[in-house]
Amino acid sequence: MALQAGIVGLPNVGKSTLFNALTAAGAESANYPFCTIEPNTGIVPVPDRRLEQLQGVVQSKQVIPTAVEIVDIAGLVRGASKGEGLGNQFLGHIRSVDAVLHVVRCFADPDVVHVDGSVNPDRDIETIDLELIFADMEACERRLKRFAKQAKGGDKEAKLHAETAQKLMTLLESGKPARAGDWSEPEAESVKDAQLITGKPVLYVCNVDEDGIDGDNAFVTAVRARAQREGAGVVIICGQVEAEISELDEEDKLAFLEDLGLTEPGLNRLARETYGLLGLQTYFTAGPKEIRAWTFHEGWLAPQCAGVIHTDFERGFIRAEVYNIPDLLEYGSEAGLKGAGKLRVEGKAYPVKDGDVMHFRFNV
């Protein structure tokens, strides 16, 4: 789908440790600011138990999950919007991603330097939010001037863009991000066209120490309160533990998780939450050679989803044979599904649902 989520935060909050554990891509991680300068990109599988359910019945030769693309971006500091630290590079990189994973340090450790001298999640989030708001204000000012000039000539579309830009400026000046605005449908399209950083969806990632895995500490509670006000999500991760888990073989990994009282690595939850943050859903294809998860956007019709596999599938689409996994588990085979009338035939107007298993018929 070519959609990316960017890991952002202040220096030394655990961004690169998380990225290393997520992708095993070897991004440098060190206890000093700006150890990540160029964005590192990795493809992260999205765990989905439905693949195991399909495999239990279909017994395919291989199982291929879907994935998300994660970008590790250099840490930002106060004054980044004016070029402080690696501000210009940071802002350029974050503009290119589709969603933001905001890593917040939620542990106290005197051996790990904090760029502002102490751990304070509210202040840390505010530092980044304000820098992004300042950067968006500059972009919005330029947009307002350009469209206000065109609107004077009677251009209705320019008038909409100018009025929306003015509303955006008012919102940003009040210290609120673009995503917090109440927009009509045409205004929402204008905001999207503006490509503002603060218009991107955000997931807060609380990086805790091992003691913080079992329950919320005071730092996490503060982040949750803020996220609730913003309508954002929260995931709790212990970066150091996840890094250790990622280096273990499957048997040792399960034993380690059991010792910690966990059923799965926290990074599994993070991958799934990121997938949802990007507005993505999954359909499946299943046969003796391969079971595979495919990514699509909510609301896509069957031909569009077929095009995810190959453009020829979309161009020559005839119909799709569709079933769901609970029915497959109940009836035990595709033949059983057909006999029970649970294998549906859908046409070009069918909106694909998350979890559908599909066979496409098409003309070459």
Side-chain angles (χ1 to χ4, degrees):
M1 300 296 294
L3 294 180
Q4 295 181 328
I7 299 179
V8 304
L10 292 175
N12 296 345
V13 297
K15 302 183 307 302
S16 293
T17 300
L18 283 173
F19 180 80
N20 291 348
L22 272 166
T23 66
E28 185 183 4
S29 178
N31 181 26
Y32 57 87
F34 315 127
C35 64
T36 309
I37 298 175
E38 293 301 318
N40 298 281
T41 303
I43 305 298
V44 181
V46 178
D48 194 325
R49 65 186 299 270
R50 294 174 296 185
L51 287 169
E52 298 172 18
Q53 293 173 330
L54 278 170
Q55 176 67 347
V57 177
V58 179
Q59 296 293 302
S60 182
K61 290 181 180 179
Q62 64 175 337
V63 178
I64 303 174
T66 189
V68 292
E69 196 167 332
I70 305 291
V71 181
D72 182 28
I73 300 173
L76 175 149
V77 295
R78 188 174 288 107
S81 60
K82 303 300 181 185
E84 292 295 326
L86 295 169
N88 293 332
Q89 291 182 59
F90 176 98
L91 295 170
H93 294 151
I94 195 175
R95 284 192 191 282
S96 69
V97 301
D98 302 282
V100 175
L101 307 180
H102 187 155
V103 180
V104 185
R105 179 171 164 178
C106 291
F107 65 91
D109 185 343
D111 294 329
V112 179
V113 177
H114 190 291
V115 71
D116 284 332
S118 63
V119 179
N120 184 325
D122 259 328
R123 180 203 59 210
D124 294 351
I125 292 171
E126 194 75 20
T127 294
I128 287 193
D129 279 357
L130 286 175
E131 294 304 326
L132 300 184
I133 285 171
F134 291 151
D136 275 353
M137 284 174 65
E138 289 185 13
C140 207
E141 280 185 76
R142 293 193 296 270
R143 185 174 174 85
L144 179 57
K145 287 178 182 177
R146 175 160 61 96
F147 285 113
K149 187 175 181 180
Q150 294 176 17
K152 288 180 180 178
D155 187 324
K156 290 183 179 179
E157 187 175 349
K159 185 173 184 290
L160 168 66
H161 288 318
E163 290 174 349
T164 305
Q166 185 58 65
K167 285 183 67 173
L168 274 166
M169 282 297 296
T170 302
L171 184 70
L172 295 168
E173 286 169 352
S174 72
K176 294 180 180 178
R179 62 182 174 274
D182 183 16
W183 311 108
S184 67
E185 191 171 328
E187 288 173 339
E189 285 300 315
S190 181
V191 172
K192 184 178 179 181
D193 182 66
Q195 296 183 315
L196 299 180
I197 301 172
T198 64
K200 301 177 189 295
V202 172
L203 176 70
Y204 290 112
V205 183
C206 296
N207 188 18
V208 301
D209 56 20
E210 191 171 334
D211 292 336
I213 293 175
D214 291 335
D216 290 2
N217 59 31
F219 299 138
V220 172
T221 299
V223 176
R224 284 198 188 278
R226 188 183 191 98
Q228 187 172 18
R229 293 194 299 270
E230 297 178 2
V234 175
V235 172
I236 299 174
I237 295 289
C238 176
Q240 199 57 50
V241 166
E242 298 297 332
E244 292 174 26
I245 291 173
S246 68
E247 295 176 358
L248 300 174
D249 61 34
E250 196 60 31
E251 187 176 341
D252 289 340
K253 184 183 294 184
L254 292 173
F256 188 30
L257 287 169
E258 188 176 348
D259 288 343
L260 293 171
L262 301 174
T263 57
E264 64 174 354
L267 295 180
N268 286 10
R269 297 192 305 278
L270 179 57
R272 287 195 295 268
E273 290 286 343
T274 300
Y275 193 71
L277 188 68
L278 290 165
L280 303 177
Q281 295 187 335
T282 303
Y283 76 85
F284 304 94
T285 53
K289 291 183 179 180
E290 176 185 282
I291 293 170
R292 184 161 183 163
W294 300 91
T295 299
F296 71 100
H297 281 286
E298 182 179 0
W300 275 19
L301 302 181
Q304 291 173 285
C305 289
V308 173
I309 300 175
H310 198 286
T311 53
D312 287 348
F313 283 31
E314 182 173 5
R315 281 196 296 266
F317 180 89
I318 300 172
R319 66 182 182 276
E321 296 172 359
V322 186
Y323 64 86
N324 63 54
I325 294 171
D327 284 342
L328 178 67
L329 296 177
E330 181 177 350
Y331 294 100
S333 67
E334 286 194 18
L337 289 170
K338 288 179 182 178
K342 296 294 184 179
L343 186 66
R344 311 188 312 274
V345 176
E346 303 288 358
K348 293 182 178 180
Y350 175 66
V352 176
K353 298 178 179 61
D354 184 62
D356 279 349
V357 186
M358 310 189 75
H359 294 302
F360 295 108
R361 306 299 181 190
F362 62 99
N363 288 318
V364 178

